[in-house]
Amino acid sequence: MHTLLRFCSLLFTLIRFDLAKVVLEYNQVQGWRGFLLHSLSILSALFTSRRARLRPAGVRVRLACEYLGPIFVKFGQMLSTRRDMLVPELVQELVKLQDRVPPFPPSVAIERIEKALGGRIQDIFASFDSTPIASASIAQVHFAYLKHSTPQGDTQKPSGRPVAIKVLRPGMRAIVARDLALLRKAAWMMQKVWVDGRRLKPQEVIEEFSTYLQDELDLMREAANASALRRNFAHSPLLCVPEMIWAWCRPKVLVMEWMEGIPISQVERLQAAGVDIKKLAREGVEIFFTQVFRDGFFHADMHPGNIQVSTEPARFGRYIALDFGIMGSLSDFDKSYLAQNLLAFFKRDYHRVATLHIESGWAPASTRVESLEGTIRAVCEPYFDKPLKDISVGQVLLRLFQASRRFSIDIQPQLVLLQKTLLNVESLGRDLDPELDLWKTAQPYLERWIKTQVGLKGWIERFKYEVPQWSQMLPKIPRLVHDVLVTQGPASRELEIRVVRLEQKARAYRTGLRILQGLVLIGIVCIAIGIGKWPSLSL
């Protein structure tokens, strides 16, 4: 019954905001599909005002998401990251979606906190502010002070420290399950009715959205993400990540260190506090590229609402990251692909960009390099009529993805997430400093990463990693050969003797390999010392 009522609500919204016309505006739909969509559009004319129907398509889609509630708002936010799939007009409106959700009652928040933490709130916190300081579609946040005591055996010793408590909204799992079931049905219908539906893969998009939502519903996962990011930037003068108070972290309640800061969107307050705005813009880009190319693990929701600037004397002017529900990760292969693509683009080496697409396996092996190269040149060359500081690196990636579509290239989800985050970072940086040259800031990171992968330093790192594995594998080879031969039938005495001798030789080789490894490492240290004494020898 709940699903049926929700489906009726969805159908009413479809008619109220004339969403059938949105499909008709961007696609020539014929046959019974076209008849169905035109019929829905006529119904919309009967139930909605002319002014409402004359709104741009993107605005109607955004208003429909807001009307349907928090889960559909988050779905719209996720769709805004799929710039490789949607037309720019729709994306620009979906980006405006924000979680404007009233807080749930303090009594409910206290009940949920006490149930999750297994004790009365006054026994755990010295004081608790029942008025939430933030409220979103999935959770809301309260301010509190911890007491001196912690559960017995815990290694952390917080002493009356201020904390932020994040509490999941009640009934979220049931709401998410219900709306996801509805979205899956809508995706199935969309794929049947919309001519372009099969290419856009709506059912796969819903499953991707489901993964994001499930991650956000587990606050222990968010705490682990925050802990990993904090460890990566433990000694950084650029970024602060709140410490998770693990003694009081649960799947439905998260307690973290409280940090004093100013939202990064409040530029006038930052200037009044004495923050160097241009320096702040450069450091934001530096933080992002450090996460991507050094760690391969990045905060994937870096909109202004999730970033503050510290006002505490000990870490004044540093970025504070918040909300770690959505994180991105990249393999070495992804990082290499991105770095080489961007470097090749800014060198106008379009042949290399096309070759990288095919070598990566994302473009079919049958793709003509010259054809793909020509398409990339056509969409990217106009950028070079502008100064480098005016070139949007995020838009470069977007245009590359769009150009790739006609060649049946499937864009990897992790790269779409990265591209969305890069656009956020770039927009944020240029809001702070319109003269920000993002390429000038990013280029050293890309070139340095490439050198560590293909240069002497990269070879040394791989050698140090691989040699111990070789030394462990060598003694096992004769035994593996012996096991295979035994399974083929009774082994002769001569064969057994040869296997034993091979094992003895393998042990000797392993000892020799370890000695060689030690000598090579000693040699590397000597070379490093030599380079330090004679800079002219530096690579």
Side-chain angles (χ1 to χ4, degrees):
M1 181 59 70
H2 283 297
T3 303
L4 179 62
L5 290 173
R6 192 61 169 159
F7 181 79
C8 291
S9 173
L10 182 63
L11 185 62
F12 173 73
T13 306
L14 180 73
I15 294 170
R16 178 182 178 182
F17 293 96
D18 200 1
L19 298 186
K21 190 177 179 182
V22 174
V23 179
L24 292 169
E25 283 181 17
Y26 294 111
N27 294 268
Q28 295 296 323
V29 185
Q30 305 295 332
W32 68 271
R33 297 180 180 88
F35 175 77
L36 177 61
L37 290 171
H38 280 290
S39 300
L40 287 172
S41 189
I42 291 170
L43 279 174
S44 298
L46 297 174
F47 287 98
T48 57
S49 66
R50 184 172 180 274
R51 179 183 177 186
R53 285 184 283 109
L54 288 176
R55 286 170 174 157
V59 174
R60 296 204 302 278
V61 172
R62 174 175 58 81
L63 292 174
C65 289
E66 291 176 347
Y67 177 80
L68 286 167
I71 302 305
F72 285 83
V73 167
K74 295 199 78 67
F75 181 57
Q77 291 172 339
M78 193 277 286
L79 280 182
S80 72
T81 71
R82 301 307 305 263
R83 296 168 184 258
D84 58 309
M85 290 171 41
L86 302 180
V87 294
E89 293 81 6
L90 284 176
V91 171
Q92 287 169 7
E93 284 298 324
L94 291 175
V95 165
K96 298 176 184 177
L97 286 170
Q98 296 180 11
D99 292 332
R100 300 187 186 94
V101 183
F104 54 88
S107 58
V108 176
I110 291 172
E111 180 185 347
R112 291 179 67 79
I113 292 170
E114 290 182 338
K115 183 177 179 180
L117 301 185
R120 294 186 308 167
I121 205 158
Q122 57 266 35
D123 294 334
I124 302 169
F125 303 101
S127 67
F128 175 84
D129 189 349
S130 60
T131 304
I133 55 176
S135 178
S137 58
I138 298 294
Q140 69 186 34
V141 181
H142 291 262
F143 177 77
Y145 280 94
L146 277 174
K147 281 198 168 183
H148 292 270
S149 60
T150 57
Q152 190 174 4
D154 196 288
T155 56
Q156 298 184 74
K157 300 295 181 184
S159 52
R161 65 194 298 191
V163 293
I165 309 168
K166 187 170 184 176
V167 193
L168 276 185
R169 286 183 169 273
M172 281 309 301
R173 292 194 180 276
I175 294 170
V176 167
R178 182 195 66 195
D179 283 350
L180 280 177
L182 195 60
L183 282 169
R184 288 186 178 101
K185 290 182 176 67
W188 179 83
M189 293 173 61
M190 176 182 167
Q191 196 158 314
K192 295 292 183 184
V193 173
W194 195 355
V195 175
D196 215 21
R198 193 180 301 275
R199 180 185 63 80
L200 295 178
K201 302 177 181 177
Q203 290 174 306
E204 293 183 18
V205 172
I206 297 300
E207 293 310 315
E208 181 184 343
F209 174 58
S210 174
T211 301
Y212 289 156
L213 267 184
Q214 297 303 328
D215 288 350
E216 288 199 71
L217 288 175
D218 184 357
L219 296 186
M220 286 296 287
R221 188 185 187 95
E222 179 175 341
N225 289 338
S227 183
L229 188 64
R230 178 181 170 86
R231 186 167 58 252
N232 289 344
F233 284 83
H235 305 292
S236 170
L238 305 177
L239 178 67
C240 301
V241 179
E243 179 188 355
M244 298 296 110
I245 312 300
W246 286 107
W248 303 118
C249 287
R250 304 290 186 273
K252 295 181 180 179
V253 172
L254 184 155
V255 180
M256 72 183 91
E257 174 187 8
W258 172 265
M259 288 186 168
E260 291 286 345
I262 299 172
I264 199 165
S265 57
Q266 299 181 11
V267 179
E268 292 182 359
R269 282 187 63 193
L270 291 171
Q271 289 175 327
V275 175
D276 185 336
I277 301 298
K278 290 193 173 185
K279 180 172 177 284
L280 193 68
R282 291 194 304 272
E283 288 177 347
V285 177
E286 188 175 342
I287 289 168
F288 174 72
F289 278 94
T290 300
Q291 289 180 70
V292 171
F293 288 101
R294 187 192 69 184
D295 306 324
F297 183 72
F298 60 94
H299 192 301
D301 202 14
M302 292 183 69
H303 61 76
N306 285 339
I307 302 172
Q308 295 184 354
V309 180
S310 178
T311 54
E312 298 175 23
R315 43 195 176 197
F316 181 79
R318 294 190 200 176
Y319 278 76
I320 299 173
L322 302 171
D323 197 346
F324 311 94
I326 303 177
M327 304 293 289
S329 59
L330 297 174
S331 66
D332 286 342
F333 178 85
D334 294 329
K335 291 189 283 186
S336 177
Y337 168 80
L338 281 169
Q340 293 185 63
N341 255 304
L342 288 171
L343 288 171
F345 170 80
F346 280 103
K347 292 175 182 176
R348 303 197 193 193
D349 187 354
Y350 302 120
H351 182 82
R352 179 60 179 153
V353 175
T355 304
L356 283 166
H357 275 69
I358 297 170
E359 288 177 351
S360 70
W362 296 336
S366 58
T367 303
R368 289 185 65 246
V369 176
E370 294 76 14
S371 178
L372 183 56
E373 177 186 354
T375 301
I376 293 170
R377 179 183 292 108
V379 298
C380 295
E381 190 66 22
Y383 281 105
F384 288 98
D385 290 335
K386 305 176 182 179
L388 277 178
K389 69 180 180 63
D390 294 333
I391 296 177
S392 165
V393 179
Q395 289 295 333
V396 169
L397 281 178
L398 172 59
R399 296 296 299 273
L400 285 174
F401 291 170
Q402 290 174 334
S404 301
R405 185 186 299 170
R406 59 175 286 206
F407 292 91
S408 302
I409 295 176
D410 290 329
I411 304 303
Q412 304 299 304
Q414 70 273 21
L415 296 184
V416 174
L417 200 58
L418 174 79
Q419 183 250 337
K420 167 253 187 185
T421 308
L422 180 53
L423 284 169
N424 283 345
V425 170
E426 193 169 46
S427 173
L428 181 65
R430 286 183 172 160
D431 284 345
L432 294 171
D433 179 13
E435 297 299 312
L436 176 68
D437 187 340
L438 188 136
W439 170 243
K440 184 177 179 181
T441 307
Q443 186 179 12
Y445 286 91
L446 300 178
E447 292 180 340
R448 192 181 308 140
W449 190 85
I450 289 291
K451 285 179 180 178
T452 61
Q453 296 304 300
V454 300
L456 176 62
K457 184 178 179 181
W459 181 86
I460 292 170
E461 290 299 321
R462 286 193 296 275
F463 181 83
K464 288 193 294 185
Y465 175 78
E466 295 288 348
V467 165
Q469 297 185 60
W470 297 342
S471 65
Q472 293 296 322
M473 282 296 295
L474 273 173
K476 298 177 183 178
I477 293 173
R479 179 53 55 189
L480 290 172
V481 173
H482 172 267
D483 293 342
V484 170
L485 290 172
V486 167
T487 60
Q488 300 301 317
S492 66
R493 176 63 180 165
E494 182 181 353
L495 186 59
E496 291 285 351
I497 293 170
R498 287 183 180 179
V499 169
V500 171
R501 287 175 179 172
L502 277 172
E503 288 180 340
Q504 292 172 345
K505 286 182 180 181
R507 291 192 189 96
Y509 288 148
R510 182 175 65 174
T511 303
L513 195 59
R514 286 177 173 171
I515 293 171
L516 176 62
Q517 180 186 5
L519 291 173
V520 169
L521 292 176
I522 291 170
I524 291 168
V525 171
C526 292
I527 291 171
I529 293 171
I531 290 173
K533 289 185 177 179
W534 298 287
S536 60
L537 295 177
S538 175
L539 296 175

